[in-house]
Amino acid sequence: MPNPYPYPPLQVFERLQIDDGLLMTADLWRRAHGYHRQRHGFTFQSLYYPGIIYGLEVATIPAPDQVPGPYRDGRWLEIQPGVAIDVAGRPIVVPEPLSFRVELEPPPGESRWVYLTVRHVDPDTLRSSRGTAVVRPEQFRLVEKMTLDEADIELCRIRLHSSETGGAITLHRAADVFAPVANELDLRHRPRICPRPDGIVRLAQLITDTPADRAIAIQLQCLLKSIPSLYPHLSGDDDIDPIRDGSLIFSQHSATPLPDLIYTSWSTLQQLGAIATESLTTVLDQGGMLLVNAMAKDAGLESSYELRQELRTALAELEQSPDVAVMRQQLATELAAFDREIHQKVQQLVNTLRSLLAPLGYNLTGDGAISPTHPLRLEPFLFGQWPLVDQVPITVLQWEGVILLIGDIASLWGPDETMQRSRSDIRTAQEFGVNLLLFAWQHHHLIQLQGGRGHPSPAASSDSLRDRIPPTP
């Protein structure tokens, strides 16, 4: 995901008021220019993420000729000219190629990550002497770091690995640019200028450390990675918080942001412990949502779905034959009976869900039916019928902060090792997943805009505009 760079600071702009007779001093001149720089930075931070505009390529090179002997090794890089803009909206212009030596030395037999970054340097912060030129170019600095901060524009990263004998490290260009190994240039994480999304959706997952949980985590990651191409107004946080007993407790006042959506399989929800219950309660109370994904087998619907599909296929074939009205009526009757049976089994599953969520103090009121104008059906992608999984539509029910989804839709969000899923099925499932994420983010966002849940409403004021209007004589 794009790094969640901060919004511009909440600061009132102060503009210089010019009148005749005002003595223009160096301080007032700096304030006037500072106002416009502040406005420019504010606009950029509000609308865009920082990153590289063009250029700034990185390549391995031999040591330059003028370098003394002790530093003539295989650690030299060359940065090509280019332009970037940092988090404050300040342009960084590298006008000519630059040579740079990576200096970090990992302990023998160990690895360390190093980041080559470029950052803006304000010429006003540099020491100046009398008699210097009136015009001074804005500066930049190439920095080798082990951790990144907001002001850094990453040019490349390298996993430096030292042999057990502590031999010299030599840097190489990556043989496979999508999977660099130790001591190779890794250019996959260079930030590019891009518009700031409306929001960043955050996910958490209830887990019991089973292979199924790990497989679902991969599918969720793939869904998050699909968001920018499907709906650029939303972004996804790649860090999915695992919730297990003893591992993580969300707090309204902690540094960890509350997730917008918590995913859980039906089997994991049944093993809900006290700590996970506390985390769920906190998230639901503050407007987050819980997505419960049950399979057909969890509701005993596997055979019912198969038989119903067979009946529908047979009924569709008989529609072409006008002389079998009695048989069509019989099949239609059987199909209606299967639909009633499926509805009853779904209701049994809903009743079980009500009992599982009772310790959270969360009541599922109503039948949870999704109306045709519900955001899950409309935004951003329109759905008439829910996506199909193995030719069977999924079932979706929603009660305020809880969504129950019956069907293995998550298997369509990521890679298909069997290569049997069609592209249209995968894309439809991902579009529905984006609808889920957008709905969860909007639900959480709108509730937070009104102060979250559980906050006392302000006392009604006795003063009103109507009270201040004198009565008409």
Side-chain angles (χ1 to χ4, degrees):
M1 135 192 160
N3 188 18
Y5 294 100
Y7 282 100
L10 192 63
Q11 183 177 352
V12 177
F13 297 109
E14 295 181 350
R15 184 167 59 181
L16 188 64
Q17 298 298 307
I18 306 298
D19 295 312
D20 291 338
L22 176 67
L23 176 63
M24 182 57 65
T25 63
D27 178 63
L28 291 180
W29 188 269
R30 281 193 293 268
R31 289 189 184 187
H33 280 271
Y35 166 78
H36 292 288
R37 293 175 63 186
Q38 183 185 12
R39 285 286 296 265
H40 176 270
F42 183 92
T43 301
F44 180 87
Q45 283 184 276
S46 301
L47 301 178
Y48 297 97
Y49 278 158
I52 297 170
I53 298 177
Y54 66 86
L56 300 178
E57 297 91 346
V58 182
T60 57
I61 59 170
D65 295 337
Q66 67 273 20
V67 173
Y71 301 102
R72 299 186 64 81
D73 51 24
R75 289 170 165 262
W76 286 90
L77 303 174
E78 184 175 76
I79 293 84
Q80 296 298 318
V83 178
I85 298 182
D86 72 2
V87 67
R90 299 171 298 192
I92 301 172
V93 180
V94 179
E96 58 187 15
L98 296 172
S99 300
F100 186 89
R101 182 180 182 272
V102 177
E103 297 182 356
L104 179 66
E105 188 70 44
E110 297 185 16
S111 297
R112 294 289 188 274
W113 280 102
V114 62
Y115 304 89
L116 177 59
T117 68
V118 62
R119 59 192 303 161
H120 180 273
V121 176
D122 191 336
D124 291 344
T125 64
L126 301 177
R127 179 181 299 177
S128 61
S129 59
R130 291 183 178 274
T132 57
V134 175
V135 177
R136 301 182 63 189
E138 292 194 340
Q139 305 290 321
F140 64 88
R141 184 180 294 120
L142 292 175
V143 186
E144 171 189 338
K145 307 187 69 175
M146 295 186 66
T147 57
L148 295 172
D149 60 42
E150 295 165 354
D152 295 320
I153 299 294
E154 178 183 343
L155 300 181
C156 78
R157 63 180 65 179
I158 308 166
R159 182 168 64 87
L160 296 176
H161 179 75
S162 178
S163 64
E164 295 288 347
T165 59
I169 292 177
T170 301
L171 304 182
H172 304 277
R173 60 185 298 175
D176 181 354
V177 294
F178 293 103
V181 297
N183 300 327
E184 290 186 344
L185 304 184
D186 187 347
L187 306 174
R188 296 172 297 172
H189 307 279
R190 288 159 55 97
R192 302 291 301 182
I193 287 288
C194 63
R196 181 185 288 274
D198 295 340
I200 299 174
V201 62
R202 293 179 170 86
L203 286 184
Q205 181 187 5
L206 282 178
I207 63 173
T208 52
D209 292 322
T210 63
D213 288 334
R214 291 189 287 273
I216 288 296
I218 294 175
Q219 303 298 94
L220 292 174
Q221 291 278 4
C222 291
L223 176 61
L224 291 172
K225 290 182 182 299
S226 73
I227 297 176
S229 59
L230 294 176
Y231 189 63
H233 293 287
L234 190 68
S235 180
D237 190 335
D238 291 341
D239 296 327
I240 300 177
D241 294 317
I243 304 177
R244 61 171 74 87
D245 283 344
S247 68
L248 178 63
I249 301 180
F250 291 107
S251 170
Q252 185 182 359
H253 305 291
S254 69
T256 302
L258 292 177
D260 303 290
L261 184 67
I262 297 179
Y263 176 96
T264 178
S265 65
W266 181 258
S267 58
T268 302
L269 182 64
Q270 292 178 309
Q271 304 175 45
L272 194 64
I275 291 181
T277 299
E278 183 177 347
S279 295
L280 274 180
T281 302
T282 300
V283 173
L284 289 173
D285 284 347
Q286 295 304 315
M289 302 199 73
L290 173 66
L291 173 60
V292 182
N293 192 185
M295 302 296 114
K297 63 181 180 181
D298 295 322
L301 292 170
E302 284 182 304
S303 59
S304 299
Y305 279 149
E306 293 175 1
L307 291 174
R308 183 177 67 172
Q309 189 61 28
E310 292 177 3
L311 285 174
R312 285 184 170 177
T313 302
L315 189 59
E317 293 174 353
L318 290 178
E319 291 291 341
Q320 309 300 323
S321 304
D323 301 328
V324 286
V326 175
M327 185 176 297
R328 287 204 307 272
Q329 180 62 38
Q330 182 179 356
L331 288 177
T333 303
E334 294 181 11
L335 184 60
F338 272 109
D339 287 338
R340 288 193 296 271
E341 178 184 349
I342 290 173
H343 177 74
Q344 291 174 357
K345 291 183 177 179
V346 169
Q347 291 307 308
Q348 292 174 2
L349 193 73
V350 170
N351 291 333
T352 305
L353 179 62
R354 285 192 172 98
S355 62
L356 290 174
L357 296 182
L360 279 67
Y362 206 89
N363 298 320
L364 305 184
T365 304
D367 58 7
I370 304 288
S371 69
T373 57
H374 193 284
L376 282 174
R377 287 191 180 272
L378 300 178
E379 299 177 14
F381 302 104
L382 176 63
F383 281 90
Q385 182 187 55
W386 295 123
L388 303 178
V389 178
D390 297 328
Q391 305 304 315
V392 177
I394 62 174
T395 299
V396 185
L397 301 171
Q398 186 249 331
W399 301 266
E400 189 59 23
V402 177
I403 299 175
L404 174 62
L405 193 156
I406 304 175
D408 191 13
I409 188 70
S411 65
L412 296 174
W413 286 338
D416 175 25
E417 296 182 357
T418 66
M419 300 186 71
Q420 299 300 312
R421 306 286 194 187
S422 70
R423 180 182 180 278
S424 61
D425 287 346
I426 295 174
R427 177 51 58 89
T428 301
Q430 288 183 337
E431 289 177 349
F432 174 72
V434 171
N435 278 24
L436 278 173
L437 297 178
L438 177 62
F439 176 66
W441 177 82
Q442 288 178 330
H443 185 272
H444 192 187
H445 179 65
L446 293 175
I447 286 182
Q448 291 301 309
L449 285 179
Q450 57 185 12
R453 300 180 190 273
H455 295 273
S457 300
S461 174
S462 60
D463 181 32
S464 70
L465 181 61
R466 178 176 297 178
D467 294 336
R468 284 183 264 162
I469 298 176
T472 304

